[in-house]
Structure formats: structure tokens, C-alpha cells
């Protein structure tokens, strides 16, 4: 490498008219050094100690410009900004000067981190060194643990969902032994144990979130005997929520499809239908306790609603239902929830079975 730059310097002294050729040659040399990690070691040497190669200020600027272009260029995941920073950790003055607004890309939950990056940090990191301390300050954006309570369910629910999502984005750091993993595990443990200790913290929104993400969260802590019981408790609540959600979903769909009339719904069922549109920040346990009798009725009607919703796409079944519904208006039926619905279903299903034969 020294020979190449010596040649460049000699050519410049010999003939200043060849400046363009010199710049082209310099550009080719720098591009060649940037091709892979092995040759970039020489290029990094230029960045650290350019005076050892040449005192040419124009050349120095070319090297500095090539560094800025390489560091800030948007590339594929294998050459992400965090990967480049890990590679440049031994040139703190250059890194700090050119870091700029892209320091956010070094945060733990950035999805461009690779297993190789994490392994390199685990292998080479020394938090006692000033440079590593500075880099860690850019990386470590782990949310603070806070006391979770039910006084402000909206705030608590949003915080839990947001922090669980954060942990999922940091899955690489959970999977590899790293200096960051203990703090990440501490945050996740805090949330899981808090939920296990107080089921009132489960809002409807949080239950929806965990329905889709609980298994991925479990993968973050597996194997972990410490969280085995808290996770089991969370699973139990989410299982109850899934059954609850299915019942409410069928009820709302049956009502929206026109199979229920005002006589079928008690005051509490009407309230349930109305609240189900806006209750995402209410405690699931409280909602379930408040509507325990109505939920029992919906559970008993589960199979009937299933069949009705399955047959609703049939025009013939729709005509049969309308006919039976009209006849039921003249009947004196008990004034109990779903009395009309159950009678219309019974008559319609009987006619449908005969029609299908």
C-alpha cells in the first residue's frame, strides 16, 4: 500500500498537469481498500494516521471524504450502519466526529443489527474503555422499569404493549450472551411478574396483543425457570380471553347480520354490545366479572350462533329465516334473552334440513 501512495506522490511532483490522473488513481485505490473487511483494515490505518503515508492535504481530504461516503451510505443489512460502527470502534475520534444524527441507528431495537454484530461486541467489548462506554450510551435505549398500577389503565396498557414490542425488536440481544442481555431480561421479568401478581393489569388491548405475541415473548426467555410460573399465569389469562373474545365476536356478528332483534337483548346485553366497541383500556378481569351472567348465556348459544353464521351466505336460508321470524311475531314467547332467536333458529333449521334433503 505504501508503494502505491509513494507512486502517486512522485507522479504529482513530476508533472502537475497529471492532477486528474492522480485523483483517478487515488479514487481507485480507496475503492479497492473498501471492498472487504480485510482491506478496510489498511484504509482504517489511513484514517487514524494519514501522516504515516503522506502529508498531502488533498489526499487527506480524499480519505476523509471516502470515509464519510462509506459510513453514511445506505446499504444492505449485511453492511448496516451499526455493523460499520462495530468495525470502526478503534477510531473513536473519527467515529464521534461523523456519527451525527445516525446515532439512533445504534439503538438496540434497530432491526438492522445482525448476529455477527452482536457476537463481535460480545467478543471485543470492554465497557471500561471510554470508546465502548460512549458507544454503549448510543445503543442502550432500554425503557425504564416503572410501577404498574390499575389507576390509569390506558397509560399502563400502552406502556406494557410498547415495552413488550421493544423486547421483541431486541430478540437478537436476548439470544446472544451480551452486556445488554441482563438489563433486557430484567425489564421483561418485571413486566411478566407484575402481570402474574395482579391480573387486573390485563386490559383488553393488552390481551389482544399477547394473543398474537405471547409465544414469541416466551422464546425470549426460554429456558428460564425464574419466569416459568409467571408465564404460565399469563397463558391462563390469555386462554380465558381467547374464549371470551370468540363469544363476543360471534354475538356482535350475529347482531350485525340482523338475526337478533330488540326482544332478544336484555339491558345488560345491549350495554355489553355498546361497550365492546370502546373497552380496550378496561380491565379484562373486571369486564368478565361484570358480564358473567351474559357471557354464560352466550356460551350456551355458541353452537347455535355458529350454525347461523355459517348458513347466512345462503340466500335460501335467509328467506327461510325471514319467514320463520315473521311467524314468531304472533307467538307468545318468554320475555327472556334470545327467546325469539332460539325459536326462529329451531324452526328455520328444521325447514332448512327438509329443504336440503
Amino acid at each position: 500500500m505504501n508503494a502505491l501512495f509513494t507512486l502517486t506522490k512522485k507522479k504529482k511532483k513530476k508533472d502537475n498537469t497529471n492532477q486528474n490522473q492522480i485523483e483517478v488513481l487515488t479514487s481507485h485505490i480507496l475503492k479497492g481498500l473498501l471492498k472487504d473487511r480485510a482491506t478496510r483494515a489498511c484504509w482504517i490505518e489511513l484514517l487514524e494516521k494519514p501522516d504515516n503515508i503522506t502529508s498531502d492535504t488533498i489526499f487527506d481530504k480524499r480519505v476523509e471524504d471516502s470515509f464519510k461516503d462509506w459510513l453514511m451510505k445506505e446499504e444492505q443489512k449485511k453492511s448496516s450502519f451499526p455493523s460499520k460502527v462495530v468495525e470502526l470502534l478503534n477510531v473513536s475520534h473519527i467515529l464521534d466526529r461523523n456519527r451525527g444524527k445516525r446515532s439512533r441507528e445504534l439503538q438496540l431495537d434497530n432491526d438492522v443489527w445482525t448476529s455477527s454484530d452482536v457476537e463481535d461486541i460480545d467478543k471485543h467489548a470492554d465497557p471500561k474503555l471510554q470508546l465502548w462506554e460512549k458507544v454503549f450510551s448510543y445503543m442502550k435505549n432500554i425503557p425504564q422499569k416503572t410501577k404498574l398500577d390499575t389507576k390509569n389503565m390506558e397509560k399502563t396498557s400502552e406502556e406494557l404493549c410498547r415495552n413488550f414490542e421493544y423486547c421483541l425488536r431486541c430478540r437478537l440481544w436476548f439470544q446472544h450472551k451480551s452486556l445488554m442481555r441482563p438489563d433486557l431480561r430484567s425489564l421483561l421479568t418485571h413486566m411478566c411478574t407484575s402481570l402474574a401478581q395482579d391480573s387486573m393489569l390485563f386490559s383488553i388491548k393488552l390481551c389482544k396483543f399477547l394473543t398474537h405475541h405471547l409465544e414469541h415473548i416466551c422464546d425470549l426467555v426460554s429456558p428460564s425457570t425464574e419466569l416459568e410460573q409467571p408465564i404460565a399465569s399469563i397463558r391462563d389469562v390469555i386462554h380465558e380471553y381467547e374464549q371470551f373474545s370468540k363469544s363476543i365476536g360471534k354475538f356482535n356478528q350475529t347482531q350485525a347480520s340482523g338475526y337478533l332483534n330488540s326482544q332478544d337483548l336484555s339491558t345488560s346485553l345491549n350495554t355489553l354490545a355498546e361497550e365492546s366497541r370502546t373497552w380496550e383500556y378496561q380491565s379484562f378481569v373486571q369486564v368478565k366479572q361484570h358480564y358473567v351472567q351474559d357471557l354464560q348465556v352466550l356460551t350456551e348459544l355458541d353452537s347455535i350462533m355458529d350454525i347461523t353464521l355459517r348458513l347466512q351466505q345462503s340466500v335460501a336460508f335467509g328467506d327461510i329465516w325471514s319467514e320463520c321470524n315473521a311467524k314468531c311475531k304472533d307467538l307468545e314467547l318468554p320475555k327472556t334473552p334470545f327467546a325469539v332467536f332460539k325459536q326462529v333458529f329451531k324452526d328455520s333449521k328444521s325447514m332448512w334440513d327438509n329443504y336440503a334433503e
Side-chain angles (χ1 to χ4, degrees):
M1 184 178 71
N2 286 344
L4 288 172
F5 289 112
T6 300
L7 174 62
T8 303
K9 192 172 180 181
K10 285 181 178 179
K11 286 184 70 178
K12 184 176 181 182
K13 287 182 177 179
K14 183 177 180 180
D15 188 358
N16 288 331
T17 62
N18 289 332
Q19 182 64 33
N20 289 339
Q21 294 180 14
I22 294 173
E23 291 183 1
V24 170
L25 178 58
T26 301
S27 177
H28 284 320
I29 292 171
L30 293 174
K31 286 181 180 179
L33 293 175
L34 286 169
K35 282 185 178 180
D36 55 54
R37 191 161 186 164
T39 56
R40 279 197 297 272
C42 299
W43 174 71
I44 291 174
E45 182 183 347
L46 289 175
L47 292 169
E48 288 186 281
K49 304 172 183 178
D51 292 342
N52 290 356
I53 306 297
T54 176
S55 59
D56 189 338
T57 56
I58 295 178
F59 174 74
D60 290 349
K61 187 176 185 306
R62 292 286 182 184
V63 174
E64 182 76 8
D65 288 344
S66 73
F67 168 74
K68 291 179 181 178
D69 291 342
W70 175 77
L71 183 63
M72 298 304 171
K73 184 179 180 181
E74 298 289 345
E75 297 188 64
Q76 299 298 322
K77 192 170 184 177
K78 63 180 181 180
S79 298
S80 66
F81 183 70
S83 296
K84 294 174 182 178
V85 170
V86 172
E87 188 174 345
L88 289 167
L89 281 173
N90 61 330
V91 282
S92 59
H93 62 290
I94 296 173
L95 176 60
D96 191 52
R97 188 165 68 246
N98 292 278
R99 174 182 54 82
K101 296 180 180 179
R102 296 194 67 177
S103 61
R104 291 178 62 87
E105 294 180 44
L106 294 174
Q107 294 178 346
L108 293 182
D109 60 331
N110 190 346
D111 63 4
V112 300
W113 285 104
T114 66
S115 293
S116 178
D117 295 334
V118 180
E119 289 169 0
D120 282 347
I121 290 175
D122 178 45
K123 183 178 180 180
H124 301 292
D126 185 350
K128 296 179 182 179
L129 296 179
Q130 184 178 3
L131 172 60
W132 276 107
E133 183 180 358
K134 183 178 294 186
V135 172
F136 284 154
S137 71
Y138 301 149
M139 294 168 59
K140 198 171 182 179
N141 64 329
I142 302 174
Q144 294 293 316
K145 291 183 291 186
T146 59
K147 183 178 180 180
L148 302 171
D149 60 60
T150 58
K151 294 179 181 178
N152 188 338
M153 282 297 289
E154 180 174 352
K155 179 183 177 182
T156 298
S157 180
E158 290 294 338
E159 180 179 333
L160 283 166
C161 290
R162 183 171 58 250
N163 289 351
F164 274 127
E165 286 177 335
Y166 175 86
C167 288
L168 289 171
R169 291 195 300 273
C170 293
R171 58 172 54 87
L172 267 180
W173 300 94
F174 279 93
Q175 294 168 1
H176 294 267
K177 180 182 178 182
S178 70
L179 294 171
M180 302 298 180
R181 188 165 67 171
D183 287 341
L184 287 169
R185 279 181 171 268
S186 178
L187 173 64
L188 190 58
T189 298
H190 168 68
M191 292 190 290
C192 291
T193 53
S194 296
L195 288 171
Q197 291 168 1
D198 187 357
S199 60
M200 300 296 284
L201 289 170
F202 286 89
S203 67
I204 299 292
K205 179 173 182 175
L206 178 61
C207 288
K208 287 181 182 178
F209 175 85
L210 291 175
T211 296
H212 298 290
H213 299 290
L214 182 57
E215 293 309 314
H216 298 300
I217 291 170
C218 291
D219 290 340
L220 298 179
V221 296
S222 180
S224 172
T225 55
E226 179 186 5
L227 285 177
E228 185 175 348
Q229 187 56 48
I231 290 294
S233 298
I234 293 173
R235 284 187 192 278
D236 290 341
V237 175
I238 298 308
H239 177 70
E240 290 181 20
Y241 169 76
E242 288 174 337
Q243 301 305 312
F244 163 87
S245 181
K246 287 178 182 178
S247 292
I248 299 299
K250 289 177 186 177
F251 168 57
N252 286 336
Q253 191 176 353
T254 302
Q255 185 182 28
S257 300
Y259 292 110
L260 300 176
N261 56 47
S262 57
Q263 297 178 55
D264 282 318
L265 303 182
S266 63
T267 301
S268 60
L269 279 169
N270 273 311
T271 303
L272 184 153
E274 188 67 28
E275 283 195 357
S276 68
R277 302 184 182 96
T278 59
W279 63 17
E280 64 176 0
Y281 293 119
Q282 291 187 41
S283 169
F284 163 60
V285 175
Q286 283 186 329
V287 169
K288 189 176 179 181
Q289 290 174 348
H290 184 73
Y291 292 107
V292 60
Q293 293 182 346
D294 297 305
L295 291 171
Q296 180 60 40
V297 172
L298 294 180
T299 299
E300 293 170 358
L301 292 171
D302 186 77
S303 61
I304 294 179
M305 289 191 290
D306 260 344
I307 296 171
T308 303
L309 293 172
R310 189 173 68 248
L311 294 174
Q312 69 174 331
Q313 295 181 358
S314 168
V315 175
F317 181 77
D319 292 339
I320 292 173
W321 185 278
S322 297
E323 181 182 340
C324 293
N325 190 46
K327 291 179 180 179
C328 280
K329 291 181 180 179
D330 299 327
L331 300 177
E332 292 187 6
L333 297 172
K335 294 183 178 181
T336 56
F338 296 100
V340 176
F341 174 73
K342 287 189 284 187
Q343 185 62 49
V344 174
F345 173 81
K346 179 181 177 182
D347 296 343
S348 298
K349 186 63 167 59
S350 177
M351 291 181 64
W352 171 257
D353 290 341
N354 292 332
Y355 172 82
E357 292 178 359

